[in-house]
């Protein structure tokens, strides 16, 4: 898997969510239209596995979390940035989603869940915040952020 092929997958994906409100209805729609047991979800998950194995995705590490912004927000991805994290039984940094966040959860080992969600999609609305947590195993999580907007909260 190379970056141009991955970008093509993300252009197709972001075209499907562009212009939709980031809310529970979108999460329901994604889980129905691009289900975790479907071919499109499987293709993206396989691309992530190959890219991580190739070393160009999740190439940074901080506090036990491997991560990286794979694609900056731009016209090709309909204004979304694409980030991927590799988390194993760990909580990340608390942050706010000024414009919302779409998460694709790809369990890799055990019964991994991201913020209580197994394989599939979860959506955080604009203005929401959380401490992203993977429990029960290891997972990749792909984040789509409108305009790449994310605000990490200073540690207390």
């Amino acid at each position: 898997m190379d970056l141009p092929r991955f970008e093509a997958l993300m252009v197709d994906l972001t075209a499907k969510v562009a212009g939709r409100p980031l809310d529970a209805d979108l999460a329901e729609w994604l889980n129905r239209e691009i289900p975790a047991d479907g071919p499109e979800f499987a293709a993206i998950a396989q691309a992530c596995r190959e890219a991580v194995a190739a070393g160009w995705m999740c190439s940074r590490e901080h506090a036990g979390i491997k991560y990286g912004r794979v694609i900056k927000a731009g016209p090709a991805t309909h204004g979304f940035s694409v980030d991927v994290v590799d988390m194993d039984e760990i909580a990340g940094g608390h942050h706010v989603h000024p414009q919302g966040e779409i998460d694709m959860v790809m369990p890799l080992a055990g019964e991994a869940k991201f913020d209580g969600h197994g394989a599939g999609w979860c959506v955080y609305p604009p203005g929401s915040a959380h401490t992203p947590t993977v429990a029960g195993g290891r997972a990749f999580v792909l984040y789509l952020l409108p305009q790449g907007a994310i605000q990490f909260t200073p540690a207390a």
Side-chain angles (χ1 to χ4, degrees), residues 3-150:
L3 183 55
R5 287 181 18 212
F6 184 77
E7 286 175 334
L9 289 171
M10 294 301 98
V11 168
D12 290 345
L13 174 60
T14 58
K16 292 175 181 169
V17 297
R20 293 176 177 265
L22 274 63
D23 57 17
D25 289 343
L26 178 57
E28 182 180 307
W29 183 87
L30 282 163
N31 281 304
R32 183 179 63 250
E33 298 298 320
I34 309 172
D37 61 355
E40 186 173 357
F41 192 101
I44 295 169
Q46 181 63 28
C48 290
R49 287 190 296 275
E50 290 176 12
V52 169
W56 61 264
M57 185 179 283
C58 297
S59 60
R60 298 180 177 149
E61 185 171 353
H62 177 74
I65 298 173
K66 295 179 182 175
Y67 67 95
R69 175 150 292 176
V70 183
I71 302 170
K72 292 181 179 179
T77 54
H78 307 91
F80 288 95
S81 64
V82 180
D83 296 77
V84 179
V85 296
D86 180 350
M87 300 174 71
D88 190 350
E89 296 281 345
I90 195 165
H94 185 271
H95 61 269
V96 176
H97 316 112
Q99 297 181 43
E101 177 180 275
I102 300 170
D103 299 321
M104 178 183 174
V105 182
M106 300 166 273
L108 298 169
E111 299 293 322
K113 292 188 177 196
F114 173 75
D115 290 357
H117 300 274
W121 301 90
C122 61
V123 177
Y124 288 93
S128 61
H130 70 140
T131 300
T133 303
V134 169
R138 178 179 169 215
F140 290 153
V141 182
L142 182 147
Y143 299 87
L144 300 176
L145 295 166
Q147 304 308 315
I150 189 169

